[in-house]
Amino acid sequence: SLSFLIDWKQGGSVYSLDQDYGASGGLTTHSGGYNKNGVGVRALPSQGGGYLFEGVTADGKPNTVMVDASDINGSVQVGGKTRTQYPWSSLHYEAQRTYVYDASYIKLREVNFTWSVPAQALKGISFCKGLDLSLTGRNLWIIHKNLPDADPEQGVATQGSYGANGSMGFQSGAYPIFRTFGFHVKVKF
């Protein structure tokens, strides 16, 4: 016999602190990859580098200004306070919505294959009336997800985490998931 379980969660939102911090450190794909010019976003705009934020300017035209993302340690004075100049961090207070994702996912949660040994093969074993051998695998495949670089279920705060119910949908500290495999023997006497 063959059985499988597909797990589907639809809706909700999750804020990823991992993505936010990773971006502020230049560790995510969009903060450390290549721009539309094929040049690394960490290169200076004068060298073809930089990052182009999607959006429009005040006059409604598409944004064409590349942002300098070459120095994570750069700083700028904002309202009398020194703040990092790195463009992806929530330290600028405008980028936080960038790291809110649809929490939906579809997973192949479990597959189970069982072989019942035919009665003829058990004739020589008088105490055994039946024998089933099973192979099981769990967390085999994330078919669809919207949260990048993490399992949508890993590192997500739930009710009571971080000391408040308002933290639901807050993802932080996601560890890589692992697949598990098992072997099961069922003997009928």
Side-chain angles (χ1 to χ4, degrees), residues 15-17 19-21 23-24 30 51 53 84 86-101:
Y15 167 73
S16 176
L17 186 62
Q19 285 293 310
D20 192 346
Y21 281 6
S24 67
H30 75 282
Y51 187 82
F53 282 98
T84 181
Y86 204 64
W88 292 286
S89 174
S90 289
L91 296 176
H92 289 286
Y93 299 105
E94 74 276 353
Q96 292 169 342
R97 68 179 173 268
T98 303
Y99 307 106
V100 175
Y101 302 92

Side-chain angles (χ1 to χ4, degrees), residues 5 31 54 73 83 105 107 124 162 176-177 188-189:
L5 174 64
S31 63
E54 293 181 20
N73 298 312
R83 299 219 186 267
Y105 62 81
K107 292 182 176 188
Y162 294 97
I177 63 165
K188 299 173 190 170
F189 298 102

